[in-house]
């Protein structure tokens, strides 16, 4: 709740200017209090966890003003868009103590600086703040030594560089460091740590939760790191952190090989792998993490390490399911398997009215099918695209999708029953190159055009009660673009013990995903609320475990990680976080708070 008085400005630009004046020029604490909601989130980059309320913002300002005499700060530019205010500032100050990297005992003279403050506003009050100040000398030195591009607000590439796949994510970083290799990553990590910068790490950029970009901090962008090398003698492939699954598959399929990845080719390998990695090969060859042989990683102290079963094995355990908590993974080495070049793919659309009989038959089929088959059922509506007959556009459907990764002739025979579960509306089943199957869903998830909020939960069974519950949700979808897949798990992916990787227990046979997708950002609040309501309701059929690649916006904090990993794994992850990132530099992820964090609650 806000305790704003009636004199507080409601115009967003005026609100931003008032905050800067009250905080930096007037030290008007009462005025600051009036601008903020009581429960506002303050992302002070020098603190290991976010603070709450206007007092946390005042501490950020006071830390700087107490360290310098004659501090002058001016507003250079203000951008207002969709409830966000991005304020570019600059100024100068004479340090009296350590100030923005300048030690007055060693160096004389004033410091010139620039910065960015980003405010999220709701109902006329600031509900979230992020920001930073950086000395011009420090930024200039960083840029001079950096091989790639460093992009700042006002640069021509800035808006394109800060955009991610999910349209609802609209954040304003202070710097975007497009790395060309490991040396750039190390420089970026060191710069962020030494200058108390909030850090986001971007791989391929297909980031549903929006943690690949940040307000007021540094984006370490690996999207230009595209190297892929297939080692036929070792039966492995090594790929850099900016590679997408489509790019990886293209190289490995030259040799008729593949490693388990996702189901959308524009997904980055990094984010998907670090949180598990579920795709069309899961029942035959497991998750992406089950095929990870080694990974190169830059830790929070700027150290370059290789993690594998024989090198830094505990770190290797942690990155297989523990997400980006322990550093920036610059390359991944995967085990390869013979796949393709052609595979059989079933894609049969049934009318929604047949959903109950279709799901019962699909469930029974999957109980005995060979592990070459990975499958899911998807509640959806026929998209209004030329690929589908006009008369079917908008029809609510349940689609049975499955891939057989063995010989096409055998796959066609094995998958045929899935095409006959009821009278189909459309049957798009086809024998196709594996790379084409990996691209089949790309058309429906164009980059930057749609809003997304995806939540998952594992189900302990798929009986009549659960089927009826899911069908009821499907009939209630507020937007026809919303998908509701039920993934069949099992096979090779559940042969791993719960504690063998950080991913957690794999005994649940089904995973329900509420993949809410819509076009108009104005519908975000309504659709997110709808998704969360039904996600919460489905917990009655689950132990609460879930898939961290579909986390919504990660609102539940580390409880989300605890639910996915399990308590034993979670405690082990906390210890690992303490060892490799005690200051929580890498916090924009499904975060694990280190035990050393002053505001940690362990």
């Amino acid at each position: 709740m806000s305790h704003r008085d009636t004199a507080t400005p409601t115009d967003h630009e005026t609100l931003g200017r008032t905050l800067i004046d009250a905080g930096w020029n007037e030290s008007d604490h009462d005025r600051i209090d009036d601008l903020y909601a009581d429960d506002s989130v303050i992302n002070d980059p020098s603190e290991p966890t976010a603070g709450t309320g206007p007092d946390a913002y005042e501490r950020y300002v006071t830390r700087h003003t107490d360290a310098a005499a004659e501090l002058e700060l001016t507003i250079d530019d203000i951008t207002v868009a969709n409830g966000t205010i991005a304020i570019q500032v600059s100024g100068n100050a004479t340090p009296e103590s350590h100030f923005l990297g300048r030690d007055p005992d060693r160096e004389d003279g004033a410091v010139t600086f620039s910065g960015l403050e980003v405010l999220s506003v709701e109902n006329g009050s600031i509900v979230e703040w992020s920001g930073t100040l950086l000395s011009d000398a420090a930024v200039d030195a960083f840029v001079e030594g950096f091989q790639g591009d460093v992009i700042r607000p006002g640069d021509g590439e800035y808006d394109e560089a800060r955009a991610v796949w999910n349209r609802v994510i609209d954040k304003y970083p202070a710097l975007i460091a497009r790395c060309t290799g490991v040396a750039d990553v190390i420089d970026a990590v060191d710069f962020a740590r030494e200058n108390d910068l909030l850090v986001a790490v971007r791989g391929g950029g297909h980031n549903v939760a929006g943690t690949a970009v940040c307000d007021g901090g540094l984006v370490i962008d690996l999207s230009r790191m595209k190297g892929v090398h297939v080692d036929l003698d070792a039966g492995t492939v090594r790929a850099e952190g900016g590679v997408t699954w489509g790019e990886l598959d293209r190289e490995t399929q030259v040799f008729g090989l593949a490693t388990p990845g996702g189901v959308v080719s524009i997904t980055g390998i990094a984010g998907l792998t670090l949180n598990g990695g579920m795709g069309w090969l899961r029942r035959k060859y497991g998750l992406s993490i089950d095929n990870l042989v080694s990974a190169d990683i830059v830790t929070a102290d700027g150290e370059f390490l290789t993690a594998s079963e024989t090198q830094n094995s505990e770190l290797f355990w942690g990155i297989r399911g523990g997400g980006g908590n322990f550093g920036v993974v610059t390359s991944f080495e995967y085990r390869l398997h013979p796949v393709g070049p052609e595979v059989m793919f079933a894609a049969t659309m049934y009318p929604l009215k047949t959903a109950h009989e279709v799901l019962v038959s699909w469930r029974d089929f999957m109980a005995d099918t060979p592990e070459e088959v990975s499958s899911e059922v998807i509640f959806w509506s026929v998209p209004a695209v030329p690929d589908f007959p006009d008369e079917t556009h908008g029809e609510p459907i349940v689609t049975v999708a499955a891939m057989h990764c063995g010989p096409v002739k055998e796959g066609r025979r094995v998958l045929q029953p899935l095409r006959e579960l009821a009278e189909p509306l459309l049957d798009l089943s086809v024998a196709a190159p594996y790379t084409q199957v990996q691209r089949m869903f790309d058309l429906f998830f164009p980059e930057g055009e749609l809003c997304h909020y995806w939540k998952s939960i594992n189900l302990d069974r798929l009986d009549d009660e659960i089927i009826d519950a899911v069908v009821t949700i499907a009939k209630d979808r507020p937007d026809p673009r919303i998908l509701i897949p039920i993934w069949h798990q099992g096979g090779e992916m559940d042969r791993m013990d719960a504690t063998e990787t950080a991913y957690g227990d794999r005994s649940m046979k089904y995973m329900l995903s509420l993949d809410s997708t819509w076009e108009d950002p104005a519908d975000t609040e309504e659709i997110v609320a709808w998704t969360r309501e039904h996600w919460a309701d489905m917990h009655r059929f689950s132990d609460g475990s879930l898939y961290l690649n579909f986390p919504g916006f990660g609102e539940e904090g580390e409880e989300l990680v605890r639910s996915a990993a399990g308590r034993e794994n979670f405690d082990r992850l906390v210890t690992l976080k303490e060892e490799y990132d005690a200051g929580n530099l890498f916090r924009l992820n499904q975060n694990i708070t280190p035990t050393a964090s002053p505001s940690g609650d362990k």
Side-chain angles (χ1 to χ4, degrees):
M1 294 291 293
S2 170
H3 55 269
R4 292 166 42 80
D5 64 29
T6 56
T8 303
T10 55
D11 171 77
H12 284 182
E13 181 171 341
T14 303
L15 189 154
R17 291 184 182 278
T18 302
L19 176 69
I20 298 300
D21 286 340
W24 294 96
N25 300 327
E26 300 173 5
S27 298
D28 188 338
H29 302 298
D30 292 337
R31 192 66 165 154
I32 293 172
D33 288 351
D34 288 335
L35 296 171
Y36 277 94
D38 293 339
D39 57 355
S40 55
V41 176
I42 308 298
N43 297 304
D44 183 342
S46 69
E47 298 293 336
T49 56
T52 304
D55 288 349
Y57 174 73
E58 292 178 37
R59 287 195 298 273
Y60 168 81
V61 173
T62 301
R63 187 170 64 251
H64 290 92
T65 55
D66 285 355
E70 301 176 1
L71 189 152
E72 296 181 1
L73 184 146
T74 59
I75 295 173
D76 296 329
D77 187 61
I78 295 183
T79 299
V80 178
N82 302 319
T84 297
I85 310 169
I87 310 168
Q88 296 178 50
V89 299
S90 63
N92 59 81
T94 302
E96 292 188 333
S97 61
H98 192 83
F99 177 79
L100 299 182
R102 175 73 66 85
D103 184 347
D105 293 335
R106 294 183 178 182
E107 301 174 82
D108 295 325
V111 173
T112 60
F113 59 83
S114 59
L116 184 66
E117 297 199 18
V118 184
L119 325 175
S120 296
V121 178
E122 293 180 6
N123 300 320
S125 292
I126 302 168
V127 295
E128 185 168 4
W129 175 93
S130 301
T132 191
L133 292 181
L134 293 167
S135 79
D136 294 339
V139 174
D140 290 345
F142 172 58
V143 171
E144 184 177 354
F146 197 78
Q147 183 70 31
D149 298 325
V150 179
I151 302 167
R152 292 177 258 194
D155 289 349
E157 296 178 272
Y158 179 73
D159 284 335
E160 179 183 354
R162 69 182 181 85
V164 290
W165 171 79
N166 188 353
R167 181 181 174 188
V168 81
I169 305 301
D170 186 23
K171 297 183 179 179
Y172 294 81
L175 297 170
I176 301 168
R178 281 183 167 165
C179 303
T180 60
V182 172
D184 275 353
V185 174
I186 292 172
D187 282 356
V189 169
D190 287 344
F191 181 76
R193 184 187 63 253
E194 292 164 1
N195 290 278
D196 290 331
L197 277 168
L198 197 64
V199 172
V201 181
R202 175 175 182 154
H206 190 269
N207 180 263
V208 179
T211 55
V213 66
C214 61
D215 282 328
L218 171 67
V219 175
I220 300 177
D221 186 344
L222 310 184
S223 63
R224 300 296 173 88
M225 293 174 61
K226 296 291 193 181
V228 179
H229 174 68
V230 176
D231 186 334
L232 291 177
D233 292 334
T236 60
V237 59
R238 179 172 292 279
E240 290 186 300
V243 170
T244 65
W245 284 107
E247 292 162 344
L248 183 74
D249 291 335
R250 184 173 187 271
E251 298 299 328
T252 62
Q253 277 293 284
V254 170
F255 308 102
L257 300 170
T259 196
V263 297
V264 176
S265 76
I266 58 175
T267 304
I269 65 171
L272 190 91
T273 299
L274 294 172
N275 285 311
M278 197 181 303
W280 294 120
L281 297 173
R282 63 188 179 274
R283 294 187 68 249
K284 180 64 175 178
Y285 297 122
L287 302 175
S288 299
I289 55 171
D290 303 333
N291 293 273
L292 191 63
V293 177
S294 70
D296 292 335
I297 183 168
V298 176
T299 59
D301 61 2
E303 186 177 3
F304 176 81
L305 299 175
T306 296
S308 68
E309 293 286 4
T310 57
Q311 295 176 271
N312 302 297
S313 58
E314 186 69 2
L315 179 61
F316 186 58
W317 174 86
I319 64 173
R320 290 178 292 163
N325 274 282
F326 309 109
V328 182
V329 179
T330 58
S331 70
F332 299 79
E333 182 187 12
Y334 300 97
R335 190 175 300 109
L336 291 170
H337 307 276
V339 176
E342 277 204 334
V343 295
M344 184 63 196
F345 188 74
T348 308
M349 297 179 174
Y350 297 100
L352 183 60
K353 64 183 180 182
T354 66
H356 194 282
E357 63 180 288
V358 167
L359 261 70
V360 168
S361 299
W362 173 76
R363 177 197 65 198
D364 295 344
F365 174 88
M366 291 304 299
D368 297 317
T369 199
E371 291 182 358
E372 283 79 7
V373 177
S374 293
S375 181
E376 59 187 89
V377 293
I378 307 166
F379 292 88
W380 202 16
S381 297
V382 178
V385 297
D387 302 62
F388 305 111
D390 290 349
E391 63 271 19
T392 67
H393 290 178
E395 283 292 318
I397 53 172
V398 56
T399 297
V400 176
M403 193 188 85
H404 185 285
C405 64
V408 168
K409 183 177 180 180
E410 177 67 6
R412 184 177 287 111
R413 182 191 67 80
V414 170
L415 296 181
Q416 185 61 31
L418 294 180
R419 305 168 65 183
E420 302 170 347
L421 303 180
E423 184 66 31
L425 180 67
L426 294 168
D427 188 357
L428 306 179
S429 302
V430 65
Y434 175 71
T435 52
Q436 181 179 325
V437 171
Q438 288 290 81
R439 295 194 303 268
M440 281 186 174
F441 285 92
D442 291 6
L443 172 67
F444 311 114
F445 301 104
E447 185 170 357
E449 295 183 19
L450 298 174
C451 304
H452 305 275
Y453 181 84
W454 296 0
K455 296 290 283 186
S456 68
I457 189 165
N458 289 323
L459 302 176
D460 56 13
R461 63 192 190 280
L462 193 60
D463 58 16
D464 287 351
E465 184 182 12
I466 294 178
I467 290 172
D468 289 343
V470 177
V471 171
T472 298
I473 296 172
K475 291 178 178 178
D476 184 48
R477 292 174 302 137
D479 191 295
R481 297 174 185 83
I482 294 173
L483 296 87
I484 304 177
I486 300 175
W487 299 59
H488 185 273
Q489 302 185 122
E492 182 65 24
M493 70 167 281
D494 74 359
R495 294 197 175 98
M496 284 274 193
D497 248 10
T499 58
E500 205 166 338
T501 67
Y503 185 82
D505 180 63
R506 308 182 185 197
S507 61
M508 294 283 202
K509 290 299 182 186
Y510 304 95
M511 189 264 286
L512 173 70
S513 182
L514 300 173
D515 297 354
S516 290
T517 298
W518 64 102
E519 186 172 11
D520 188 349
D523 295 333
T524 298
E525 184 175 352
E526 174 195 351
I527 291 180
V528 167
W530 177 89
T531 309
R532 291 189 61 79
E533 176 186 352
H534 289 296
W535 178 72
D537 180 62
M538 292 304 293
H539 276 69
R540 59 196 164 109
F541 304 120
S542 173
D543 63 357
S545 61
L546 47 88
Y547 182 47
L548 284 177
N549 276 319
F550 302 157
F553 297 142
E555 304 95 322
E556 297 81 8
E558 63 184 25
E559 186 56 40
L560 206 64
V561 185
R562 187 181 283 109
S563 297
R567 181 162 296 278
E568 182 179 349
N569 281 358
F570 182 80
D571 290 345
R572 188 172 167 186
L573 285 167
V574 171
T575 301
L576 197 62
K577 180 73 169 181
E578 170 69 15
E579 178 178 355
Y580 286 99
D581 187 18
N584 208 13
L585 181 69
F586 301 111
R587 71 186 75 169
L588 295 182
N589 43 48
Q590 313 317 318
N591 194 227
I592 301 159
T593 307
T595 56
S597 297
S599 45
D601 184 18
K602 295 287 178 292

